[in-house]
Amino acid sequence: MEIADITRALQQEPVWIVFVNVLLEQIGLPVPAAPTLLLAGSLAMTMGEMGQIFAAAIVASVVGDCLWYWAGTRFGYRVLAGLCKLSINPASCVSQTEARFVRWGLVSLLVAKFIPGFSVVAPPIAGALRMSLPGFLLAAAAGAALWAGAALGAGWVLRGTVPNALAVLDQHMDGVLVVSVLMLGLWLGWKLWRKHQFRKASALAHITAKELLEALRSDKAPLLLDLRGATMVSQTDPIPGAIVTDQDHLSEAVASWPKDRDIVTLCACPQDAGAIQAAHKLIDRGYASVRPLSGGYEAWLAASTGPPP
């Protein structure tokens, strides 16, 4: 669809187009709504029409957030782990995002729409942490209002400039597409490079759940660091003897531990990403023997609750 077609559609049905676009983005589809809001703001004929578009954007955003909130309430850490698996870079684990959410509280929902990726992750975390529904709805609506208002307001202020810019884009669409493809390629290349770096880091020696259980029965049992995050730990059985922490508080968690003791890190991340990251940090700080648990919490659970050998 050409820009002229999008413009005509927004002139005819701005409320519904904005509603659908925002809802699709909020449920996680790659259809950015900010450009649509900017264009809709520039095309609004009256403040009344602007108000209707603004309301549609807020309602659509809150509906999408409520779906994720319900999923977090219903399925808990499994939703977060599933979202983590969608990341092209496993090192950006949801448990790290969760730690920031816990630290920021309701403010997270106010700024979530302005942080790529966080707008989808924040609502299920809020549900999994059992944030009160009234508080969630208020914060989600306020955050949506700030985000939609900023985009619509920018379009309204630049209403004399946006049509000219669109005309220029339409005339040079081939060049715009080439530049867009190049930028997308650079972004994907950067992400794949980070994935490659993570794979190199994953070459670190691991320990299996069976080996860990045997080591815990020995006289010199390893020390355990549980990096699953508050949500996952609260909804599952704690691991006996493990210290629960996150990437931002590793130093405090191990401050009293001898640097020659065996340490095992574990998480519930795809490819043990969080455990590997923590292990490298501890090794860099001088701890001699740090190994991530292969398979993370799921492997531990299977080994510790399975039939005896």
Side-chain angles (χ1 to χ4, degrees):
M1 182 180 287
E2 297 183 353
I3 293 178
D5 296 327
I6 298 173
T7 301
R8 280 194 295 271
L10 274 172
Q11 288 173 330
Q12 295 170 3
E13 296 288 346
V15 174
W16 281 108
I17 289 177
V18 165
F19 180 87
V20 172
N21 195 172
V22 171
L23 180 60
L24 292 177
E25 183 189 53
Q26 293 311 305
I27 63 177
L29 296 181
V31 282
T36 303
L37 290 169
L38 182 67
L39 182 55
S42 71
L43 295 173
M45 301 303 295
T46 65
M47 291 303 295
E49 185 179 31
M50 176 71 85
Q52 292 177 359
I53 297 171
F54 180 57
I58 294 174
V59 171
S61 179
V62 172
V63 169
D65 287 348
C66 284
L67 292 174
W68 282 116
Y69 175 87
W70 174 82
T73 303
R74 178 69 178 81
F75 301 107
Y77 80 91
R78 286 171 290 177
V79 174
L80 306 183
L83 288 172
C84 197
K85 289 178 182 178
L86 296 177
S87 173
I88 196 171
N89 176 26
S92 60
C93 185
V94 170
S95 62
Q96 299 176 41
T97 307
E98 180 197 347
R100 291 175 176 82
F101 182 90
V102 172
R103 186 163 60 248
W104 296 345
L106 283 174
V107 177
S108 302
L109 295 171
L110 295 177
V111 302
K113 299 293 185 294
F114 297 94
I115 304 174
F118 191 53
S119 61
V120 175
V121 176
I125 291 177
L129 290 174
R130 298 297 190 271
M131 177 183 286
S132 71
L133 181 58
F136 170 79
L137 290 174
L138 181 61
L146 288 174
W147 168 72
L152 289 170
W156 180 270
V157 171
L158 299 173
R159 58 191 299 114
T161 305
V162 171
N164 295 331
L166 291 177
V168 172
L169 285 176
D170 219 3
Q171 293 173 5
H172 301 86
M173 184 54 67
D174 291 342
V176 171
L177 289 175
V178 170
V179 172
S180 298
V181 170
L182 287 175
M183 292 179 65
L184 178 61
L186 289 173
W187 179 80
L188 284 174
W190 175 67
K191 285 289 188 179
L192 291 173
W193 178 81
R194 291 188 64 189
K195 193 177 185 72
H196 172 69
Q197 293 297 105
F198 171 74
R199 284 176 176 168
K200 287 175 60 179
S202 300
L204 189 69
H206 286 53
I207 185 172
T208 67
K210 182 179 178 181
E211 291 170 340
L212 175 58
L213 286 173
E214 293 175 353
L216 289 173
R217 299 188 191 105
S218 67
D219 294 335
K220 201 171 183 181
L223 302 169
L224 299 180
L225 274 180
D226 188 346
L227 296 131
R228 287 178 292 155
T231 300
M232 298 183 187
V233 172
S234 68
Q235 295 188 7
T236 55
D237 293 331
I239 297 175
I243 300 298
V244 178
T245 187
D246 56 49
Q247 302 291 343
D248 296 331
H249 297 89
L250 278 177
S251 297
E252 296 92 324
V254 302
S256 61
W257 289 2
K259 293 196 173 181
D260 60 346
R261 284 287 299 274
D262 290 337
I263 298 174
V264 174
T265 59
L266 67 95
C267 64
C269 312
Q271 302 176 45
D272 308 322
I276 291 170
Q277 188 177 35
H280 277 288
K281 288 181 179 179
L282 294 178
I283 291 171
D284 291 342
R285 291 169 188 172
Y287 291 88
S289 176
V290 188
R291 289 182 290 173
L293 175 62
S294 182
Y297 177 72
E298 294 297 330
W300 162 268
L301 190 63
S304 60
T305 60

